[in-house]
Amino acid sequence: NKMNAIFKAQLKNANLKLKEHYNNNDLIKQCRIYAREKINNALNKDGTLNWSKLPKLLSSNPKLEKSSKYEVLTKGLALAPSFISEYNTCNFASIGCGLGCLNFSGHGQEHMLHNGKHNVLIARIIRTILYYEYRDQFLKQLHKEIKAFSNYVHNKNIKDNTQLICGIRLNVLSDILWEKIDITLFNNNHTVTFYDYTKNPNRNVSHIPNYSLTFSRNEMNDLYCEQAFNNNMNVAIVFDIKKGYTIPKTFRNKNVLDGDLHDARFLDSKNHYVGLRQKGFKKDTTGFIINTNSFFNPVKIAS
């Protein structure tokens, strides 16, 4: 397939550029050093990790918390995206999504230093190194934290007589094929709804009833949107629209949902685009962010 060859070449080029970009970032280089120090400090003589000296694997953020309005309690695994940890957690990243990555939005903004350290970024790098270098201990701890959170939601439902859904997003900023890494994450946690975005057009998790994937369109994988719809995935797209303004109702003859209302993508109706507003302030010239000038006029949402 000729198109695939072009796509593969583009991917290879994007990965090389992103690797170089992140390897030359002084803040990131500093964070990597701190992360290694913390891991060494948490290592017991027998090679086991003392998890009380390490960041929790599952955490929350403002986007995940929005879902509570929809009766979903969510935690996510925030690894360091792209090559930030020196390991690549986003094999299908394009230059547009790699440089405009949400890693540096919300709690992760570059200026958010505490005593000169970027603790959020250091924690993400630590988790990523542990995932790659201490895989067995990492997975054991991940199972433990998922179980604890799932029990917390279950007990809350009993106590408050509610029907909250327990949601887990394993790839908050990464794109790891969890269905290939550890299928027991899903099989052993039937009451948990797992969901993720992916830029990998070959992923298909329709055989896992409690895992929902949304395909995330960028300037390189655009040609795979149709395939994603055929694989029963919705497609997330980023519009050049600011917070507080409406997004288009339709795009390419399909209906568009407002993806910023919550993060629980498994609640979305099927066969829809999921419209997201542009986060951060970087000017995108790659085509990752869709320019709406020619077909849509955003209106301020009445508060």
Side-chain angles (χ1 to χ4, degrees), residues 118-137:
H118 199 306
N119 293 326
V120 171
L121 194 49
I122 293 166
R124 289 172 185 170
I125 293 171
I126 289 171
R127 294 183 196 112
T128 313
I129 293 171
L130 297 178
Y131 168 76
Y132 283 100
E133 297 180 13
Y134 300 88
R135 180 74 54 92
D136 292 348
Q137 292 187 64

Side-chain angles (χ1 to χ4, degrees), residues 134-149:
Y134 300 88
R135 180 74 54 92
D136 292 348
Q137 292 187 64
F138 178 97
L139 288 173
K140 201 173 155 192
Q141 180 67 15
L142 183 59
H143 275 272
K144 208 168 128 184
E145 289 189 29
I146 290 172
K147 205 46 103 202
F149 183 57

Side-chain angles (χ1 to χ4, degrees), residues 34 50 72 141 161-162 169 171 182 188 224-225 255 287:
Y34 290 138
N50 177 349
V72 179
Q141 180 67 15
N161 195 18
T162 45
R169 186 168 157 191
N171 286 317
D182 185 1
N188 296 356
Y224 292 103
C225 290
N255 290 336

Side-chain angles (χ1 to χ4, degrees), residues 265-289:
R265 296 276 71 91
F266 54 89
L267 297 176
D268 296 340
S269 313
K270 287 285 171 210
N271 203 29
H272 279 66
Y273 277 107
V274 178
L276 301 165
R277 291 165 187 81
Q278 181 177 354
K279 313 288 187 300
F281 307 99
K282 293 191 177 71
K283 185 96 182 88
D284 174 66
T285 52
T286 62
F288 168 55
I289 293 171

Side-chain angles (χ1 to χ4, degrees), residues 90-103:
C90 307
N91 289 323
F92 282 80
S94 66
I95 292 177
C97 73
L99 296 183
C101 181
L102 294 175
N103 180 63

